[in-house]
Every structure is written in structure tokens, then in C-alpha cells.
Amino acid sequence: MKTIYCISGLGADERAFSKLRVKGYELKVIPWLIPGQNETIQEYAARMRAGIKDEQPILMGLSFGGMICTEIAKQIPVKKLILISSIKSSDELPTWMKVVARLRLHKIVPLRSSRLTEPIQNIMLGAGSEEEKMIASEYRKKVDISYTNWAVNEAINWKNNWKHPETIHIHGDNDRMFPIKNIKPTFTIKNGGHFMIMNKAAAISRCINEILQED
């Protein structure tokens, strides 16, 4: 069986990909690492790629994981780059993230979740069902705050205009984190929010299977 190497969203784990069904492929999730002090996203991607054992692998990145996969694809030959609920370049960052980065608000406002911020975060994620809210809450509780601070800073300050020629971008038309108005996806998932990998997994799986059947 062939392998697709997956990197989840910020603080998420292998459960993020658990509902996808890809024929003939094993989905191998590369676990997040704790970033080093002043480590760049390029240096971090170089450490993450140590978990990839195949030549010319297929990479699949969810949200911030898509940015990491893109950085890995700059460093090693990659067969295909599948992005889900992510962005291809810094041009696709939403305006509010660019403002936060420019004013360095993320350095001023605490990033740790609270009972007050969780409902807002769930809306941004598109986590509507009780199961989705529970999973999102578990992610928030277990994520290392130093990792969160580093990842948020790297995401909103990401500088990239390079695109892998075999990039496949799957995006929801109701994504509040990365609004589709800034993005030109390969596949658009109707009513898909940022958490659509959990609640629109069948539709995403169809897109991925369609892509891979072309080979």
C-alpha cells in the first residue's frame, strides 16, 4: 500500500484525518514537534521532513500543516502536494491576519484559550456539532503554548509566493479562517468550513480519490 504523509492543523493530531477514505493509500501523520527558540518555519520544516521515508512522496497538509508541507516541498522532490483548508501563498492570507502581523497584536494579546474565547474559536473553525466542539476543546487543552505562539507568528508572517506544479487545493466556500474570496482552489466544498475535514470528509475523500486515480 502506498503512503500519503499528512501534517495536521495547529495543535491537531491524527484524528483530523481519521474520517478520510483514500483507496490504496495509508495516511501516515507526521506528529508536531516543539519548535526551537527563534527557529524559522524553513528550519522547522527540515526537521519535520525527517518523518518522510519515501522518495518523491505525496504530502497532505491541513490548515497550518499545509504551509509546513509547502515548505517541505521546497526542500525535497514531492510528487503531489494536497492542501486542505489551507493557503498556497502569503497573498491568500486574510486581511485581518496581515493587520495582526503588522501591528504585532499577537505579541500583546494572550493566545491561550478561555471559556470566553472558545465559542468564537469554534465559529471560526466551523465546529458545530458536539463531537466537533469536544475535539476542538481537547486540541486546545493539550497544545503546548510555546508551540501555539510560534505557529501563529509563523503563519501570519508567512512569506511565500512559490507554488509546487502538482498542488491540489481543496477548500470550503464557508471557511472563516481563510475566506475563499482570497483563494483559487482546485476543488470547492459546498458549505465547507475550516473544520470540514471532520464534517465533509466524504466530499474531500472523493476529491482526493479523483486526483490519485489520474496517476
Side-chain angles (χ1 to χ4, degrees):
M1 185 174 285
K2 299 177 183 178
T3 301
I4 298 176
Y5 291 91
C6 306
I7 300 180
S8 64
L10 198 159
D13 56 27
E14 67 278 357
R15 286 176 294 175
F17 300 96
S18 63
K19 295 189 177 183
L20 296 182
R21 298 293 180 264
V22 184
K23 298 174 185 176
Y25 287 84
E26 174 194 6
L27 303 186
K28 182 178 176 59
V29 179
I30 303 174
W32 288 109
L33 305 170
I34 298 301
Q37 188 174 9
N38 300 320
E39 186 171 25
T40 67
I41 194 171
Q42 294 81 15
E43 292 167 340
Y44 187 85
R47 287 203 294 134
M48 288 288 282
R49 81 175 197 233
I52 299 171
K53 305 304 180 184
D54 298 348
E55 293 185 2
Q56 294 196 323
I58 297 175
L59 304 184
M60 183 189 299
L62 171 66
S63 191
F64 181 58
M67 300 182 199
I68 299 295
C69 283
T70 298
E71 291 296 334
I72 292 174
K74 291 180 183 178
Q75 300 175 12
I76 62 172
V78 168
K79 185 177 182 181
K80 288 187 186 297
L81 177 61
I82 303 172
L83 305 179
I84 302 173
S85 303
S86 187
I87 58 174
K88 297 184 290 296
S89 72
S90 46
D91 292 337
E92 295 181 339
L93 280 167
T95 301
W96 70 268
M97 285 191 186
K98 294 177 181 178
V99 171
V100 168
R102 186 164 59 248
L103 299 179
R104 297 176 62 82
L105 296 178
H106 61 299
K107 299 289 187 179
I108 301 170
V109 179
L111 296 177
R112 192 178 296 277
S113 294
S114 68
R115 289 185 178 180
L116 291 175
T117 61
E118 281 196 8
I120 299 170
Q121 291 168 340
N122 286 340
I123 291 171
M124 292 295 289
L125 285 172
S129 72
E130 290 306 311
E131 178 193 14
E132 291 159 7
K133 290 177 183 177
M134 180 188 71
I135 291 172
S137 179
E138 288 178 5
Y139 286 161
R140 285 188 286 260
K141 287 177 182 176
K142 77 173 190 176
V143 68
D144 186 283
I145 190 62
S146 64
Y147 162 75
T148 300
N149 291 336
W150 175 84
V152 168
N153 181 69
E154 293 301 315
I156 65 178
N157 286 290
W158 193 40
K159 306 299 181 189
N160 177 65
N161 291 309
W162 176 85
K163 179 183 173 183
H164 190 280
E166 290 294 328
T167 299
I168 296 92
H169 192 163
I170 305 171
H171 210 80
D173 63 5
N174 196 32
D175 192 311
R176 293 187 175 94
M177 192 71 68
F178 296 125
I180 199 168
K181 66 179 181 180
N182 301 316
I183 292 166
K184 295 180 180 178
T186 314
F187 296 96
T188 301
I189 304 299
K190 188 175 181 180
N191 298 322
H194 198 66
F195 216 53
M196 68 178 186
I197 198 165
M198 298 299 294
N199 52 42
K200 300 287 183 182
I204 295 172
S205 296
R206 284 194 294 272
C207 295
I208 297 169
N209 282 303
E210 180 181 328
I211 293 160
L212 299 179
Q213 284 174 2
E214 294 174 359
D215 291 343

